Amino acid sequence: MSTLQITDLHVSVGDTPILRGVNLTLNSAEVHALMGPNGSGKSTLAYALAGHPGYTVTSGSVTLDGEEVVGMEADQRARKGLYLAFQYPVTIPGVKVADFLRHAVSNVRNPDRKEGGELISMREYRRELYERMDELSVDRAFARRYLNEGFSGGEKKRMEILQMAMLRPRFAFLDETDSGLDTDAVNVVSEGVAKLAAEQKMGVLIITHHDRLLHYNTPDHTHVMLGGKIVESGGADLAAELYTDGYAGVRDRHPEVAAEADARREAAPPELVGA
């Protein structure tokens, strides 16, 4: 079993503090839901865990099975088994899906591989890739297309889950993977996440405002973030309550944190309001 331990994590974007002491423990095969109003710091936590260079850890620690992760580059974290599914997946013109995934899979499964080193065998790779594409209802022709170029929103999100299936991370952070998808696409993505989490004993942190993804992936733990902190934790019933009633009750139970969060949001640069 693996454990990802987040302890008193503080993160800033530029000169603006976003996270102000996050504590969270994720274990293998656990599903955690992270919910909260826009701008509460959910996406910042996901990006900071993945090692995005725009997010600076100013204090605190993140350990993976006791090994400190803060200070590692993003690719090192990926090789250790951390994966981020982006809310807005990037397009990489000129890089075919099949080539991108073959290199990524080779690096993750052989963490000591150097650039130019041997790749996973084409025969083995192609067989696994096609199996996964079929499971996730991804047209095999997409393997020959440039990554995310011309893809619809649903196709991009399926591609994120396909990457997760191929990379087999120990912990996956899904940053509003269900946003902007129609019902059919949400169902396919949700079922794919549930299947992968079960068969690979993966720990999953799901950031969402909706219930559909959580319907297929019932959270063992639900956390509410407000003002850069986790202010409440509970089970699946807490996620259902938040979906039905919104965050007014949370704000009422934590008036000082809510007031401080409002003041910080008003003072923050516009590009950070949704962080």
Side-chain angles (χ1 to χ4, degrees):
M1 183 181 80
S2 290
T3 298
L4 185 70
Q5 183 76 50
I6 303 166
T7 305
D8 195 23
L9 190 68
H10 292 248
V11 175
S12 293
V13 178
D15 296 328
T16 304
I18 305 294
L19 300 187
R20 299 181 302 137
V22 173
N23 295 285
L24 188 61
T25 302
L26 285 77
N27 294 310
S28 298
E30 289 182 349
V31 176
H32 292 244
L34 182 61
M35 306 177 77
N38 288 336
S40 57
K42 306 182 299 299
S43 294
T44 293
L45 177 60
Y47 279 79
L49 292 175
H52 190 295
Y55 296 76
T56 303
V57 175
T58 54
S59 66
S61 73
V62 179
T63 59
L64 178 58
D65 294 336
E67 183 179 12
E68 183 59 62
V69 170
V70 175
M72 291 183 184
E73 299 294 333
D75 66 306
Q76 291 177 290
R77 301 183 193 210
R79 292 177 191 235
K80 293 287 183 182
L82 303 184
Y83 177 78
L84 169 64
F86 290 92
Q87 183 177 358
Y88 304 107
V90 298
T91 297
I92 308 180
V95 176
K96 291 183 178 178
V97 168
D99 295 336
F100 169 77
L101 274 177
R102 190 180 181 206
H103 278 76
V105 168
S106 298
N107 289 338
V108 167
R109 298 186 188 176
N110 179 13
D112 296 326
R113 176 184 178 272
K114 306 297 183 186
E115 188 59 36
E118 186 176 359
L119 298 171
I120 183 175
S121 81
M122 178 59 81
R123 185 173 189 176
E124 174 188 351
Y125 167 70
R126 184 175 294 163
R127 176 187 54 77
E128 183 176 348
L129 177 63
Y130 286 164
E131 285 179 359
R132 292 301 190 184
M133 294 180 92
D134 293 345
E135 289 173 359
L136 295 169
S137 301
V138 176
D139 191 331
R140 292 185 178 188
F142 278 53
R144 299 189 296 274
R145 293 177 58 178
Y146 295 144
L147 185 61
N148 289 330
E149 188 172 64
F151 289 15
S152 68
E155 290 165 345
K156 288 180 180 178
K157 297 300 178 69
R158 291 186 196 189
M159 196 56 58
E160 293 287 287
I161 304 307
L162 175 63
Q163 291 176 40
M164 187 172 76
M166 294 297 293
L167 296 177
R168 307 175 190 165
R170 285 192 276 177
F171 292 95
F173 319 119
L174 310 184
D175 185 14
E176 300 195 32
T177 296
D178 49 357
S179 67
L181 300 183
D182 61 32
T183 300
D184 291 342
V186 170
N187 290 343
V188 170
V189 168
S190 300
E191 290 174 345
V193 171
K195 184 175 186 298
L196 292 173
E199 72 181 27
Q200 299 179 17
K201 306 298 182 188
M202 185 192 316
V204 183
L205 179 66
I206 299 175
I207 298 171
T208 184
H209 290 291
H210 308 293
D211 68 337
R212 185 58 63 88
L213 193 55
L214 299 180
H215 174 74
Y216 286 90
N217 298 269
T218 304
D220 301 294
H221 306 275
T222 300
H223 313 281
V224 186
M225 185 168 275
L226 185 65
K229 300 177 180 178
I230 291 176
V231 295
E232 292 187 10
S233 294
D237 55 338
L238 178 57
E241 174 194 325
L242 295 172
Y243 175 71
T244 302
D245 301 334
Y247 298 106
V250 174
R251 295 174 61 86
D252 289 343
R253 292 192 290 271
H254 305 277
E256 294 183 0
V257 178
E260 188 176 348
D262 290 342
R264 285 156 47 86
R265 186 179 301 109
E266 290 179 4
E271 65 272 18
L272 296 182
V273 169

